Amino acid sequence: MTDYVIPIVLALSSLPAFIAAALISRGRPRGAPVPPLARIMRLVGVAILAGALGLLWAGEDDTRRLAVIVAMVVAVNGLGLVLLFKLGRGRTGPR
């Protein structure tokens, strides 16, 4: 049971990313393209879910666990940077 607690908590922590993506795309007509920010937030949620599955796969192997954690941190933070650059590029007015 204790082997599943951290992956479950990690999987649950991906929910805010999916909720943010749903809120960003709310009010769009059917068939309209998905806003880029919503797409990025969904990718963040998927990266966190993939990290949870990776931790399940890693089990007690410390090397695998470290590799999964590093990959997830790089993916989520990389997507966070993409999100920031996307938001910064969309700004209007003086910089």
Side-chain angles (χ1 to χ4, degrees), residues 27-71:
R28 300 271 179 202
R30 259 206 188 316
V34 177
L37 297 180
R39 187 177 304 123
I40 293 169
M41 289 307 296
R42 285 182 188 157
L43 287 173
V44 168
V46 168
I48 295 171
L49 281 177
L53 289 174
L55 286 178
L56 279 175
W57 167 76
E60 294 295 319
D61 188 346
D62 288 338
T63 305
R64 285 183 182 178
R65 202 178 322 165
L66 182 62
V68 168
I69 291 169
V70 167

Short mmCIF file of all heavy atoms in Angstrom, two decimals, residues 27-71:
data_model
loop_
_atom_site.label_atom_id
_atom_site.label_comp_id
_atom_site.label_asym_id
_atom_site.label_seq_id
_atom_site.Cartn_x
_atom_site.Cartn_y
_atom_site.Cartn_z
N GLY A 27 -16.16 28.09 -23.15
CA GLY A 27 -16.85 29.07 -23.96
C GLY A 27 -16.48 29.03 -25.43
O GLY A 27 -16.98 29.84 -26.22
N ARG A 28 -15.62 28.13 -25.82
CA ARG A 28 -15.25 28.01 -27.23
C ARG A 28 -16.31 27.19 -27.96
O ARG A 28 -16.82 26.21 -27.43
CB ARG A 28 -13.91 27.28 -27.38
CG ARG A 28 -12.78 27.97 -26.69
CD ARG A 28 -12.15 28.95 -27.61
NE ARG A 28 -11.07 29.62 -26.88
CZ ARG A 28 -10.60 30.78 -27.22
NH1 ARG A 28 -11.06 31.39 -28.25
NH2 ARG A 28 -9.65 31.35 -26.53
N PRO A 29 -16.64 27.58 -29.18
CA PRO A 29 -17.60 26.78 -29.94
C PRO A 29 -16.99 25.43 -30.30
O PRO A 29 -15.78 25.27 -30.40
CB PRO A 29 -17.87 27.61 -31.19
CG PRO A 29 -16.86 28.68 -31.22
CD PRO A 29 -16.23 28.77 -29.86
N ARG A 30 -17.86 24.44 -30.50
CA ARG A 30 -17.40 23.10 -30.88
C ARG A 30 -16.65 23.17 -32.21
O ARG A 30 -17.06 23.84 -33.13
CB ARG A 30 -18.59 22.18 -31.03
CG ARG A 30 -18.79 21.29 -29.86
CD ARG A 30 -19.53 20.04 -30.34
NE ARG A 30 -20.00 19.09 -29.40
CZ ARG A 30 -19.41 18.59 -28.35
NH1 ARG A 30 -18.26 19.06 -28.01
NH2 ARG A 30 -19.95 17.66 -27.63
N GLY A 31 -15.54 22.48 -32.26
CA GLY A 31 -14.76 22.46 -33.49
C GLY A 31 -13.75 23.59 -33.59
O GLY A 31 -12.92 23.60 -34.49
N ALA A 32 -13.83 24.56 -32.68
CA ALA A 32 -12.85 25.66 -32.69
C ALA A 32 -11.51 25.12 -32.21
O ALA A 32 -11.44 24.19 -31.42
CB ALA A 32 -13.31 26.79 -31.77
N PRO A 33 -10.42 25.70 -32.71
CA PRO A 33 -9.11 25.21 -32.28
C PRO A 33 -8.89 25.42 -30.78
O PRO A 33 -9.39 26.39 -30.19
CB PRO A 33 -8.12 26.04 -33.10
CG PRO A 33 -8.90 27.16 -33.68
CD PRO A 33 -10.34 26.78 -33.66
N VAL A 34 -8.15 24.52 -30.20
CA VAL A 34 -7.84 24.60 -28.76
C VAL A 34 -6.84 25.73 -28.56
O VAL A 34 -5.84 25.81 -29.28
CB VAL A 34 -7.25 23.27 -28.26
CG1 VAL A 34 -6.86 23.36 -26.80
CG2 VAL A 34 -8.23 22.13 -28.48
N PRO A 35 -7.09 26.63 -27.58
CA PRO A 35 -6.12 27.70 -27.33
C PRO A 35 -4.76 27.12 -26.92
O PRO A 35 -4.69 26.11 -26.22
CB PRO A 35 -6.74 28.48 -26.16
CG PRO A 35 -8.17 28.11 -26.15
CD PRO A 35 -8.25 26.73 -26.72
N PRO A 36 -3.69 27.75 -27.37
CA PRO A 36 -2.35 27.22 -27.05
C PRO A 36 -2.10 27.08 -25.54
O PRO A 36 -1.45 26.13 -25.12
CB PRO A 36 -1.40 28.24 -27.67
CG PRO A 36 -2.20 28.94 -28.71
CD PRO A 36 -3.62 28.90 -28.25
N LEU A 37 -2.60 28.02 -24.74
CA LEU A 37 -2.36 27.93 -23.30
C LEU A 37 -3.07 26.71 -22.72
O LEU A 37 -2.53 26.04 -21.82
CB LEU A 37 -2.85 29.20 -22.60
CG LEU A 37 -2.13 30.49 -23.00
CD1 LEU A 37 -2.69 31.67 -22.25
CD2 LEU A 37 -0.65 30.36 -22.78
N ALA A 38 -4.25 26.39 -23.22
CA ALA A 38 -4.96 25.20 -22.75
C ALA A 38 -4.20 23.95 -23.14
O ALA A 38 -4.10 22.99 -22.36
CB ALA A 38 -6.38 25.17 -23.32
N ARG A 39 -3.64 23.94 -24.34
CA ARG A 39 -2.87 22.79 -24.79
C ARG A 39 -1.65 22.57 -23.89
O ARG A 39 -1.32 21.46 -23.51
CB ARG A 39 -2.45 22.98 -26.24
CG ARG A 39 -1.79 21.76 -26.84
CD ARG A 39 -1.44 21.94 -28.31
NE ARG A 39 -2.62 22.29 -29.10
CZ ARG A 39 -2.70 23.38 -29.84
NH1 ARG A 39 -1.70 24.23 -29.89
NH2 ARG A 39 -3.78 23.63 -30.55
N ILE A 40 -0.97 23.67 -23.55
CA ILE A 40 0.21 23.56 -22.70
C ILE A 40 -0.17 23.05 -21.31
O ILE A 40 0.51 22.20 -20.74
CB ILE A 40 0.94 24.92 -22.61
CG1 ILE A 40 1.53 25.28 -23.98
CG2 ILE A 40 2.05 24.88 -21.57
CD1 ILE A 40 2.04 26.69 -24.09
N MET A 41 -1.28 23.55 -20.76
CA MET A 41 -1.71 23.09 -19.44
C MET A 41 -2.08 21.61 -19.46
O MET A 41 -1.82 20.88 -18.51
CB MET A 41 -2.88 23.94 -18.93
CG MET A 41 -2.49 25.34 -18.53
SD MET A 41 -1.12 25.42 -17.35
CE MET A 41 -1.83 24.63 -15.93
N ARG A 42 -2.71 21.16 -20.55
CA ARG A 42 -3.00 19.73 -20.66
C ARG A 42 -1.72 18.92 -20.72
O ARG A 42 -1.63 17.84 -20.12
CB ARG A 42 -3.83 19.47 -21.91
CG ARG A 42 -5.26 19.89 -21.77
CD ARG A 42 -6.05 19.57 -23.00
NE ARG A 42 -7.38 20.16 -22.90
CZ ARG A 42 -8.14 20.44 -23.92
NH1 ARG A 42 -7.73 20.15 -25.15
NH2 ARG A 42 -9.33 20.97 -23.75
N LEU A 43 -0.72 19.43 -21.43
CA LEU A 43 0.56 18.73 -21.49
C LEU A 43 1.23 18.67 -20.12
O LEU A 43 1.88 17.67 -19.79
CB LEU A 43 1.48 19.39 -22.51
CG LEU A 43 1.12 19.17 -23.97
CD1 LEU A 43 2.01 20.02 -24.88
CD2 LEU A 43 1.25 17.70 -24.34
N VAL A 44 1.10 19.71 -19.33
CA VAL A 44 1.63 19.69 -17.97
C VAL A 44 0.94 18.59 -17.16
O VAL A 44 1.60 17.81 -16.45
CB VAL A 44 1.46 21.07 -17.28
CG1 VAL A 44 1.72 20.98 -15.79
CG2 VAL A 44 2.37 22.10 -17.91
N GLY A 45 -0.39 18.50 -17.27
CA GLY A 45 -1.12 17.45 -16.57
C GLY A 45 -0.70 16.07 -17.01
O GLY A 45 -0.51 15.16 -16.19
N VAL A 46 -0.49 15.89 -18.31
CA VAL A 46 -0.05 14.59 -18.83
C VAL A 46 1.36 14.27 -18.34
O VAL A 46 1.66 13.12 -17.99
CB VAL A 46 -0.13 14.57 -20.37
CG1 VAL A 46 0.58 13.37 -20.95
CG2 VAL A 46 -1.57 14.61 -20.82
N ALA A 47 2.24 15.28 -18.28
CA ALA A 47 3.61 15.05 -17.79
C ALA A 47 3.59 14.61 -16.33
O ALA A 47 4.34 13.71 -15.93
CB ALA A 47 4.45 16.31 -17.96
N ILE A 48 2.72 15.21 -15.53
CA ILE A 48 2.64 14.82 -14.12
C ILE A 48 2.06 13.41 -13.99
O ILE A 48 2.55 12.60 -13.20
CB ILE A 48 1.80 15.85 -13.33
CG1 ILE A 48 2.53 17.21 -13.31
CG2 ILE A 48 1.56 15.36 -11.90
CD1 ILE A 48 1.70 18.33 -12.74
N LEU A 49 1.04 13.09 -14.79
CA LEU A 49 0.50 11.72 -14.77
C LEU A 49 1.54 10.71 -15.22
O LEU A 49 1.64 9.61 -14.66
CB LEU A 49 -0.74 11.63 -15.67
CG LEU A 49 -2.03 12.16 -15.10
CD1 LEU A 49 -3.14 12.05 -16.15
CD2 LEU A 49 -2.42 11.42 -13.84
N ALA A 50 2.33 11.06 -16.24
CA ALA A 50 3.39 10.18 -16.69
C ALA A 50 4.43 9.97 -15.58
O ALA A 50 4.96 8.87 -15.41
CB ALA A 50 4.04 10.72 -17.94
N GLY A 51 4.69 11.02 -14.83
CA GLY A 51 5.61 10.89 -13.69
C GLY A 51 5.06 9.95 -12.64
O GLY A 51 5.80 9.15 -12.06
N ALA A 52 3.76 10.02 -12.38
CA ALA A 52 3.14 9.11 -11.41
C ALA A 52 3.24 7.66 -11.89
O ALA A 52 3.58 6.76 -11.11
CB ALA A 52 1.69 9.49 -11.18
N LEU A 53 2.96 7.44 -13.17
CA LEU A 53 3.09 6.09 -13.71
C LEU A 53 4.54 5.62 -13.69
O LEU A 53 4.83 4.45 -13.43
CB LEU A 53 2.54 6.04 -15.14
CG LEU A 53 1.04 6.14 -15.27
CD1 LEU A 53 0.64 6.24 -16.74
CD2 LEU A 53 0.37 4.96 -14.60
N GLY A 54 5.46 6.55 -13.96
CA GLY A 54 6.88 6.22 -13.89
C GLY A 54 7.31 5.82 -12.50
O GLY A 54 8.11 4.90 -12.33
N LEU A 55 6.78 6.49 -11.49
CA LEU A 55 7.12 6.12 -10.11
C LEU A 55 6.56 4.75 -9.76
O LEU A 55 7.19 3.99 -9.03
CB LEU A 55 6.62 7.17 -9.13
CG LEU A 55 7.41 8.47 -9.10
CD1 LEU A 55 6.77 9.45 -8.13
CD2 LEU A 55 8.85 8.22 -8.72
N LEU A 56 5.39 4.43 -10.29
CA LEU A 56 4.86 3.07 -10.10
C LEU A 56 5.77 2.05 -10.75
O LEU A 56 6.05 0.99 -10.19
CB LEU A 56 3.45 2.95 -10.68
CG LEU A 56 2.31 3.45 -9.83
CD1 LEU A 56 1.01 3.38 -10.61
CD2 LEU A 56 2.20 2.66 -8.54
N TRP A 57 6.24 2.36 -11.95
CA TRP A 57 7.14 1.46 -12.67
C TRP A 57 8.48 1.32 -11.93
O TRP A 57 9.03 0.23 -11.87
CB TRP A 57 7.36 2.00 -14.08
CG TRP A 57 8.49 1.35 -14.81
CD1 TRP A 57 8.50 0.12 -15.38
CD2 TRP A 57 9.78 1.92 -15.04
NE1 TRP A 57 9.71 -0.11 -15.95
CE2 TRP A 57 10.52 0.98 -15.77
CE3 TRP A 57 10.37 3.14 -14.72
CZ2 TRP A 57 11.83 1.21 -16.17
CZ3 TRP A 57 11.67 3.37 -15.13
CH2 TRP A 57 12.38 2.41 -15.84
N ALA A 58 8.99 2.41 -11.38
CA ALA A 58 10.29 2.39 -10.73
C ALA A 58 10.30 1.55 -9.46
O ALA A 58 11.31 0.93 -9.14
CB ALA A 58 10.73 3.82 -10.40
N GLY A 59 9.19 1.53 -8.76
CA GLY A 59 9.12 0.73 -7.54
C GLY A 59 10.14 1.16 -6.52
O GLY A 59 10.26 2.33 -6.18
N GLU A 60 10.92 0.20 -6.04
CA GLU A 60 11.92 0.48 -5.00
C GLU A 60 13.30 0.79 -5.56
O GLU A 60 14.23 1.02 -4.80
CB GLU A 60 12.00 -0.72 -4.05
CG GLU A 60 10.74 -0.94 -3.23
CD GLU A 60 10.46 0.20 -2.29
OE1 GLU A 60 11.41 0.72 -1.65
OE2 GLU A 60 9.29 0.60 -2.19
N ASP A 61 13.45 0.75 -6.87
CA ASP A 61 14.75 1.00 -7.50
C ASP A 61 15.06 2.49 -7.46
O ASP A 61 14.42 3.30 -8.14
CB ASP A 61 14.73 0.50 -8.94
CG ASP A 61 16.10 0.54 -9.60
OD1 ASP A 61 17.01 1.19 -9.06
OD2 ASP A 61 16.25 -0.07 -10.67
N ASP A 62 16.04 2.88 -6.65
CA ASP A 62 16.37 4.29 -6.46
C ASP A 62 16.85 4.97 -7.74
O ASP A 62 16.56 6.13 -7.99
CB ASP A 62 17.42 4.47 -5.36
CG ASP A 62 16.87 4.19 -3.98
OD1 ASP A 62 15.64 4.28 -3.82
OD2 ASP A 62 17.67 3.90 -3.06
N THR A 63 17.61 4.25 -8.57
CA THR A 63 18.11 4.83 -9.81
C THR A 63 16.97 5.15 -10.76
O THR A 63 16.91 6.25 -11.33
CB THR A 63 19.09 3.86 -10.48
OG1 THR A 63 20.12 3.52 -9.56
CG2 THR A 63 19.72 4.48 -11.72
N ARG A 64 16.04 4.21 -10.91
CA ARG A 64 14.88 4.45 -11.77
C ARG A 64 14.03 5.60 -11.23
O ARG A 64 13.55 6.44 -11.98
CB ARG A 64 14.01 3.20 -11.88
CG ARG A 64 14.58 2.14 -12.75
CD ARG A 64 13.61 0.99 -12.82
NE ARG A 64 14.11 -0.10 -13.61
CZ ARG A 64 13.47 -1.22 -13.80
NH1 ARG A 64 12.30 -1.42 -13.24
NH2 ARG A 64 13.99 -2.17 -14.55
N ARG A 65 13.83 5.57 -9.92
CA ARG A 65 13.01 6.61 -9.29
C ARG A 65 13.61 7.99 -9.53
O ARG A 65 12.90 8.94 -9.87
CB ARG A 65 12.89 6.33 -7.80
CG ARG A 65 11.70 6.99 -7.18
CD ARG A 65 11.52 6.69 -5.73
NE ARG A 65 11.84 5.32 -5.38
CZ ARG A 65 12.04 4.89 -4.16
NH1 ARG A 65 11.95 5.72 -3.16
NH2 ARG A 65 12.32 3.64 -3.91
N LEU A 66 14.92 8.11 -9.38
CA LEU A 66 15.60 9.39 -9.60
C LEU A 66 15.47 9.81 -11.07
O LEU A 66 15.23 10.99 -11.36
CB LEU A 66 17.07 9.29 -9.20
CG LEU A 66 17.89 10.57 -9.35
CD1 LEU A 66 17.34 11.66 -8.44
CD2 LEU A 66 19.34 10.30 -9.03
N ALA A 67 15.61 8.87 -11.98
CA ALA A 67 15.49 9.18 -13.41
C ALA A 67 14.08 9.69 -13.73
O ALA A 67 13.92 10.65 -14.49
CB ALA A 67 15.83 7.96 -14.25
N VAL A 68 13.07 9.06 -13.16
CA VAL A 68 11.68 9.48 -13.40
C VAL A 68 11.45 10.88 -12.84
O VAL A 68 10.85 11.73 -13.49
CB VAL A 68 10.69 8.47 -12.78
CG1 VAL A 68 9.28 9.03 -12.75
CG2 VAL A 68 10.73 7.16 -13.53
N ILE A 69 11.94 11.13 -11.64
CA ILE A 69 11.74 12.43 -11.00
C ILE A 69 12.44 13.53 -11.80
O ILE A 69 11.85 14.60 -12.05
CB ILE A 69 12.23 12.40 -9.54
CG1 ILE A 69 11.30 11.52 -8.70
CG2 ILE A 69 12.32 13.80 -8.96
CD1 ILE A 69 11.81 11.20 -7.32
N VAL A 70 13.67 13.28 -12.23
CA VAL A 70 14.40 14.29 -13.02
C VAL A 70 13.69 14.55 -14.34
O VAL A 70 13.52 15.70 -14.75
CB VAL A 70 15.86 13.84 -13.24
CG1 VAL A 70 16.55 14.70 -14.29
CG2 VAL A 70 16.63 13.89 -11.94
N ALA A 71 13.23 13.48 -15.02
CA ALA A 71 12.53 13.65 -16.29
C ALA A 71 11.24 14.45 -16.10
O ALA A 71 10.92 15.33 -16.92
CB ALA A 71 12.23 12.29 -16.91
#
